[in-house]
Short mmCIF file of all heavy atoms in Angstrom, two decimals:
data_model
loop_
_atom_site.label_atom_id
_atom_site.label_comp_id
_atom_site.label_asym_id
_atom_site.label_seq_id
_atom_site.Cartn_x
_atom_site.Cartn_y
_atom_site.Cartn_z
N ILE Q 1103 0.92 -0.19 10.15
CA ILE Q 1103 1.72 -1.08 10.96
C ILE Q 1103 2.23 -0.32 12.18
O ILE Q 1103 2.60 0.85 12.08
CB ILE Q 1103 2.88 -1.70 10.15
CG1 ILE Q 1103 3.57 -2.81 10.94
CG2 ILE Q 1103 3.88 -0.63 9.71
CD1 ILE Q 1103 4.57 -3.63 10.12
N SER Q 1104 2.25 -0.99 13.33
CA SER Q 1104 2.72 -0.38 14.56
C SER Q 1104 3.35 -1.46 15.43
O SER Q 1104 3.26 -2.65 15.12
CB SER Q 1104 1.59 0.34 15.30
OG SER Q 1104 0.57 -0.57 15.66
N LYS Q 1105 3.97 -1.04 16.53
CA LYS Q 1105 4.66 -2.00 17.39
C LYS Q 1105 4.52 -1.63 18.85
O LYS Q 1105 4.27 -0.47 19.20
CB LYS Q 1105 6.14 -2.09 17.00
CG LYS Q 1105 6.92 -0.78 17.14
CD LYS Q 1105 8.36 -0.95 16.69
CE LYS Q 1105 9.10 0.38 16.71
NZ LYS Q 1105 9.31 0.87 18.09
N ASP Q 1106 4.71 -2.62 19.70
CA ASP Q 1106 4.76 -2.46 21.14
C ASP Q 1106 6.03 -3.15 21.59
O ASP Q 1106 6.09 -4.37 21.68
CB ASP Q 1106 3.52 -3.07 21.81
CG ASP Q 1106 3.49 -2.85 23.31
OD1 ASP Q 1106 4.55 -2.71 23.94
OD2 ASP Q 1106 2.38 -2.81 23.87
N ASN Q 1107 7.07 -2.37 21.86
CA ASN Q 1107 8.36 -2.94 22.19
C ASN Q 1107 8.32 -3.79 23.46
O ASN Q 1107 8.99 -4.82 23.54
CB ASN Q 1107 9.41 -1.84 22.34
CG ASN Q 1107 9.71 -1.13 21.03
OD1 ASN Q 1107 8.86 -0.40 20.51
ND2 ASN Q 1107 10.90 -1.34 20.52
N ALA Q 1108 7.56 -3.35 24.47
CA ALA Q 1108 7.50 -4.08 25.73
C ALA Q 1108 6.93 -5.48 25.54
O ALA Q 1108 7.29 -6.41 26.26
CB ALA Q 1108 6.68 -3.30 26.75
N LYS Q 1109 6.04 -5.63 24.58
CA LYS Q 1109 5.40 -6.92 24.32
C LYS Q 1109 6.03 -7.68 23.16
O LYS Q 1109 5.60 -8.80 22.86
CB LYS Q 1109 3.91 -6.73 24.03
CG LYS Q 1109 3.11 -6.18 25.19
CD LYS Q 1109 1.65 -6.05 24.81
CE LYS Q 1109 0.81 -5.54 25.98
NZ LYS Q 1109 -0.62 -5.40 25.61
N ASN Q 1110 7.03 -7.08 22.53
CA ASN Q 1110 7.62 -7.67 21.33
C ASN Q 1110 6.53 -8.06 20.33
O ASN Q 1110 6.53 -9.16 19.79
CB ASN Q 1110 8.49 -8.88 21.67
CG ASN Q 1110 9.89 -8.50 22.09
OD1 ASN Q 1110 10.37 -7.40 21.81
ND2 ASN Q 1110 10.58 -9.42 22.74
N THR Q 1111 5.64 -7.13 20.10
CA THR Q 1111 4.48 -7.39 19.27
C THR Q 1111 4.34 -6.33 18.19
O THR Q 1111 4.57 -5.14 18.45
CB THR Q 1111 3.20 -7.43 20.11
OG1 THR Q 1111 3.30 -8.49 21.07
CG2 THR Q 1111 1.97 -7.65 19.25
N VAL Q 1112 3.98 -6.77 17.01
CA VAL Q 1112 3.70 -5.86 15.91
C VAL Q 1112 2.25 -6.04 15.49
O VAL Q 1112 1.70 -7.14 15.58
CB VAL Q 1112 4.66 -6.10 14.72
CG1 VAL Q 1112 4.45 -7.47 14.10
CG2 VAL Q 1112 4.52 -4.99 13.69
N TYR Q 1113 1.63 -4.95 15.06
CA TYR Q 1113 0.23 -4.96 14.69
C TYR Q 1113 0.06 -4.49 13.25
O TYR Q 1113 0.87 -3.72 12.73
CB TYR Q 1113 -0.59 -4.05 15.60
CG TYR Q 1113 -0.43 -4.35 17.07
CD1 TYR Q 1113 0.52 -3.68 17.83
CD2 TYR Q 1113 -1.22 -5.31 17.68
CE1 TYR Q 1113 0.66 -3.95 19.18
CE2 TYR Q 1113 -1.08 -5.60 19.03
CZ TYR Q 1113 -0.14 -4.91 19.77
OH TYR Q 1113 0.01 -5.19 21.12
N LEU Q 1114 -1.00 -4.93 12.64
CA LEU Q 1114 -1.38 -4.44 11.32
C LEU Q 1114 -2.86 -4.10 11.36
O LEU Q 1114 -3.71 -4.99 11.37
CB LEU Q 1114 -1.10 -5.48 10.23
CG LEU Q 1114 -1.32 -5.00 8.80
CD1 LEU Q 1114 -0.28 -3.96 8.42
CD2 LEU Q 1114 -1.28 -6.17 7.82
N GLN Q 1115 -3.16 -2.81 11.41
CA GLN Q 1115 -4.53 -2.33 11.38
C GLN Q 1115 -4.95 -2.18 9.93
O GLN Q 1115 -4.31 -1.44 9.18
CB GLN Q 1115 -4.66 -1.00 12.11
CG GLN Q 1115 -6.07 -0.43 12.12
CD GLN Q 1115 -7.02 -1.26 12.95
OE1 GLN Q 1115 -6.75 -1.54 14.11
NE2 GLN Q 1115 -8.12 -1.67 12.35
N MET Q 1116 -6.01 -2.86 9.54
CA MET Q 1116 -6.47 -2.86 8.17
C MET Q 1116 -7.89 -2.31 8.13
O MET Q 1116 -8.77 -2.80 8.83
CB MET Q 1116 -6.45 -4.28 7.59
CG MET Q 1116 -5.11 -4.98 7.74
SD MET Q 1116 -5.07 -6.61 6.93
CE MET Q 1116 -6.27 -7.47 7.95
N ILE Q 1117 -8.09 -1.29 7.31
CA ILE Q 1117 -9.42 -0.72 7.11
C ILE Q 1117 -9.75 -0.72 5.63
O ILE Q 1117 -8.89 -0.94 4.78
CB ILE Q 1117 -9.51 0.72 7.68
CG1 ILE Q 1117 -8.60 1.67 6.91
CG2 ILE Q 1117 -9.18 0.73 9.16
CD1 ILE Q 1117 -8.79 3.13 7.27
N SER Q 1118 -11.02 -0.46 5.32
CA SER Q 1118 -11.48 -0.41 3.94
C SER Q 1118 -11.04 -1.64 3.17
O SER Q 1118 -10.54 -1.55 2.04
CB SER Q 1118 -10.98 0.87 3.26
OG SER Q 1118 -11.43 2.02 3.93
N LEU Q 1119 -11.23 -2.79 3.76
CA LEU Q 1119 -10.76 -4.03 3.16
C LEU Q 1119 -11.50 -4.33 1.86
O LEU Q 1119 -12.69 -4.06 1.72
CB LEU Q 1119 -10.92 -5.18 4.13
CG LEU Q 1119 -9.87 -5.22 5.24
CD1 LEU Q 1119 -10.32 -6.10 6.39
CD2 LEU Q 1119 -8.54 -5.71 4.67
N LYS Q 1120 -10.77 -4.90 0.92
CA LYS Q 1120 -11.28 -5.25 -0.39
C LYS Q 1120 -11.15 -6.75 -0.61
O LYS Q 1120 -10.31 -7.40 0.00
CB LYS Q 1120 -10.48 -4.52 -1.48
CG LYS Q 1120 -10.39 -3.02 -1.31
CD LYS Q 1120 -9.45 -2.41 -2.35
CE LYS Q 1120 -9.32 -0.91 -2.19
NZ LYS Q 1120 -8.38 -0.33 -3.17
N PRO Q 1121 -11.97 -7.32 -1.49
CA PRO Q 1121 -11.84 -8.75 -1.76
C PRO Q 1121 -10.43 -9.15 -2.19
O PRO Q 1121 -9.98 -10.25 -1.85
CB PRO Q 1121 -12.86 -8.98 -2.89
CG PRO Q 1121 -13.91 -7.96 -2.64
CD PRO Q 1121 -13.15 -6.74 -2.16
N GLU Q 1122 -9.72 -8.28 -2.88
CA GLU Q 1122 -8.37 -8.60 -3.31
C GLU Q 1122 -7.36 -8.63 -2.16
O GLU Q 1122 -6.21 -9.02 -2.36
CB GLU Q 1122 -7.88 -7.63 -4.40
CG GLU Q 1122 -8.05 -6.16 -4.03
CD GLU Q 1122 -9.30 -5.55 -4.63
OE1 GLU Q 1122 -10.37 -6.20 -4.56
OE2 GLU Q 1122 -9.22 -4.44 -5.19
N ASP Q 1123 -7.77 -8.23 -0.96
CA ASP Q 1123 -6.93 -8.37 0.22
C ASP Q 1123 -6.97 -9.77 0.80
O ASP Q 1123 -6.21 -10.09 1.71
CB ASP Q 1123 -7.34 -7.37 1.30
CG ASP Q 1123 -7.10 -5.92 0.90
OD1 ASP Q 1123 -6.04 -5.62 0.31
OD2 ASP Q 1123 -7.98 -5.08 1.19
N THR Q 1124 -7.86 -10.60 0.29
CA THR Q 1124 -7.99 -11.96 0.78
C THR Q 1124 -6.69 -12.73 0.57
O THR Q 1124 -6.18 -12.81 -0.55
CB THR Q 1124 -9.14 -12.68 0.08
OG1 THR Q 1124 -10.38 -12.05 0.42
CG2 THR Q 1124 -9.20 -14.15 0.48
N ALA Q 1125 -6.14 -13.28 1.65
CA ALA Q 1125 -4.87 -13.99 1.58
C ALA Q 1125 -4.54 -14.56 2.94
O ALA Q 1125 -5.17 -14.23 3.95
CB ALA Q 1125 -3.75 -13.06 1.12
N MET Q 1126 -3.53 -15.42 2.97
CA MET Q 1126 -2.91 -15.83 4.21
C MET Q 1126 -1.85 -14.79 4.55
O MET Q 1126 -0.96 -14.51 3.74
CB MET Q 1126 -2.29 -17.21 4.08
CG MET Q 1126 -1.62 -17.71 5.36
SD MET Q 1126 -2.80 -18.12 6.67
CE MET Q 1126 -3.51 -19.63 6.01
N TYR Q 1127 -1.93 -14.22 5.74
CA TYR Q 1127 -1.00 -13.19 6.17
C TYR Q 1127 0.00 -13.78 7.16
O TYR Q 1127 -0.39 -14.41 8.14
CB TYR Q 1127 -1.75 -12.03 6.82
CG TYR Q 1127 -2.45 -11.13 5.84
CD1 TYR Q 1127 -3.56 -11.57 5.14
CD2 TYR Q 1127 -2.00 -9.83 5.61
CE1 TYR Q 1127 -4.20 -10.76 4.23
CE2 TYR Q 1127 -2.64 -9.00 4.70
CZ TYR Q 1127 -3.75 -9.47 4.01
OH TYR Q 1127 -4.38 -8.65 3.11
N HIS Q 1128 1.28 -13.56 6.89
CA HIS Q 1128 2.36 -14.03 7.74
C HIS Q 1128 3.16 -12.85 8.26
O HIS Q 1128 3.43 -11.91 7.52
CB HIS Q 1128 3.31 -14.95 6.97
CG HIS Q 1128 2.70 -16.23 6.51
ND1 HIS Q 1128 2.82 -17.39 7.23
CD2 HIS Q 1128 1.99 -16.52 5.40
CE1 HIS Q 1128 2.19 -18.36 6.56
NE2 HIS Q 1128 1.68 -17.85 5.47
N CYS Q 1129 3.57 -12.91 9.51
CA CYS Q 1129 4.54 -11.95 10.01
C CYS Q 1129 5.91 -12.60 10.02
O CYS Q 1129 6.04 -13.82 10.02
CB CYS Q 1129 4.17 -11.43 11.40
SG CYS Q 1129 4.29 -12.62 12.75
N ALA Q 1130 6.95 -11.77 10.02
CA ALA Q 1130 8.31 -12.27 9.95
C ALA Q 1130 9.26 -11.29 10.60
O ALA Q 1130 8.98 -10.09 10.68
CB ALA Q 1130 8.71 -12.52 8.49
N VAL Q 1131 10.39 -11.82 11.06
CA VAL Q 1131 11.44 -11.02 11.67
C VAL Q 1131 12.61 -10.92 10.69
O VAL Q 1131 13.09 -11.94 10.19
CB VAL Q 1131 11.93 -11.62 12.99
CG1 VAL Q 1131 13.13 -10.84 13.52
CG2 VAL Q 1131 10.81 -11.63 14.01
N ARG Q 1132 13.04 -9.71 10.44
CA ARG Q 1132 14.18 -9.46 9.57
C ARG Q 1132 15.44 -9.35 10.40
O ARG Q 1132 15.56 -8.47 11.26
CB ARG Q 1132 13.96 -8.18 8.77
CG ARG Q 1132 15.10 -7.81 7.82
CD ARG Q 1132 14.77 -6.52 7.09
NE ARG Q 1132 15.78 -6.14 6.11
CZ ARG Q 1132 16.82 -5.35 6.38
NH1 ARG Q 1132 16.99 -4.87 7.60
NH2 ARG Q 1132 17.69 -5.06 5.43
N SER Q 1133 16.38 -10.25 10.16
CA SER Q 1133 17.66 -10.24 10.88
C SER Q 1133 18.85 -10.19 9.95
O SER Q 1133 19.98 -10.24 10.40
CB SER Q 1133 17.77 -11.47 11.78
OG SER Q 1133 16.74 -11.52 12.73
N SER Q 1134 18.60 -10.09 8.67
CA SER Q 1134 19.65 -10.13 7.67
C SER Q 1134 19.67 -8.84 6.87
O SER Q 1134 18.71 -8.07 6.89
CB SER Q 1134 19.47 -11.32 6.73
OG SER Q 1134 19.40 -12.54 7.44
N VAL Q 1135 20.75 -8.65 6.18
CA VAL Q 1135 20.83 -7.53 5.25
C VAL Q 1135 19.98 -7.86 4.04
O VAL Q 1135 19.67 -9.02 3.76
CB VAL Q 1135 22.28 -7.24 4.83
CG1 VAL Q 1135 23.10 -6.83 6.04
CG2 VAL Q 1135 22.89 -8.45 4.14
#
């Protein structure tokens, strides 16, 4: 996982993917404790 503050963007680089990685992926912002 990485980020670009200027773009307010986060990335997820995924390699060596496996069938068990199959899913719907959601990003989210944490603003709470």
